[in-house]
């Protein structure tokens, strides 16, 4: 016997669909040749983002205090916040003009990711972890789409 969903669960499910639709629109926009051309004209901005991503993933045995790497800042809520902020900085740098083709779709996708991340922060541990996995998957898709859009077709 399935449990009945209350209004809050139905509203959250509706917002989840909106987030998925926004991500789909952003990924379609990244496949548009006009957006790809725009991104290839902003190589400095995208190269800076790639360098930042590499630096984030570089293994550091200890921080300045001599303690080990702060795992909390790379995973969980903080890690998702940093990844979303990094993607937003890359989009802002690459799409310097507010009315650039594809920017609205990418911004809307990031806004829906941020909303899902904020909602997840108030959930109990098990539900929060599941929500984090979904947000992580959305960020993976968006980052992969950005990288694919920048790389030349081969």
């Amino acid at each position: 016997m399935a449990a009945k969903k209350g209004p809050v669960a139905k509203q959250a499910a509706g917002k989840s669909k909106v987030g998925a639709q926004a991500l789909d629109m952003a990924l379609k926009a990244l496949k548009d040749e006009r957006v790809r051309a725009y991104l290839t004209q902003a190589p400095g901005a995208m190269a800076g983002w790639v360098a930042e991503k590499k630096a984030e993933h570089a293994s550091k045995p200890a921080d300045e205090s001599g303690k080990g790497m702060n795992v909390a800042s790379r995973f969980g809520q903080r890690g998702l916040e940093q990844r979303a902020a990094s993607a937003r900085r890359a989009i802002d740098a690459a799409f310097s003009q507010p009315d650039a083709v594809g920017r609205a779709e990418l911004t809307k996708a990031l806004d829906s990711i941020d909303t899902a991340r904020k909602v997840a922060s108030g959930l109990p541990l098990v539900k929060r972890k599941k929500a984090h996995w979904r947000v992580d998957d959305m960020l993976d898709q968006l980052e992969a789409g950005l990288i694919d859009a920048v790389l030349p077709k081969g």
Side-chain angles (χ1 to χ4, degrees):
M1 181 175 201
K4 293 183 180 179
K5 291 187 178 184
V8 173
K10 288 179 183 177
Q11 184 180 13
K15 288 187 180 197
S16 173
K17 290 177 185 175
V18 170
Q21 290 172 349
L23 181 63
D24 288 343
M25 288 175 56
L27 294 175
K28 285 179 186 174
L30 287 170
K31 292 179 182 177
D32 186 337
E33 290 303 321
R34 295 175 297 169
V35 173
R36 287 176 174 271
Y38 195 87
L39 287 173
T40 57
Q41 293 172 0
M46 294 309 288
W49 180 67
V50 170
E52 181 182 319
K53 296 303 282 182
K54 283 183 181 179
E56 285 176 14
H57 294 289
S59 60
K60 297 178 185 174
D63 61 11
E64 294 78 32
S65 66
K67 297 179 183 175
M69 179 184 73
N70 184 1
V71 177
S73 68
R74 299 232 356 221
F75 302 101
Q77 190 73 20
R78 286 190 201 130
L80 293 173
E81 288 171 6
Q82 290 175 354
R83 285 181 65 196
S86 172
R88 193 172 295 278
R89 284 191 303 272
I91 290 169
D92 288 344
F95 295 92
S96 57
Q97 298 176 359
D99 60 344
V101 177
R103 182 183 177 123
E105 292 87 349
L106 293 169
T107 303
K108 187 173 181 179
L110 275 172
D111 290 345
S112 68
I113 288 171
D114 284 342
T115 300
R117 185 183 44 76
K118 289 174 186 173
V119 168
S121 69
L123 295 174
L125 180 64
V126 174
K127 290 181 180 179
R128 182 173 61 236
K129 199 68 181 156
K130 288 180 182 179
H132 282 176
W133 289 335
R134 292 178 67 188
V135 171
D136 182 61
D137 288 343
M138 291 172 74
L139 281 167
D140 284 346
Q141 291 176 38
L142 187 62
E143 289 169 345
L146 275 170
I147 291 168
D148 288 344
V150 173
L151 293 176
K153 290 183 179 180

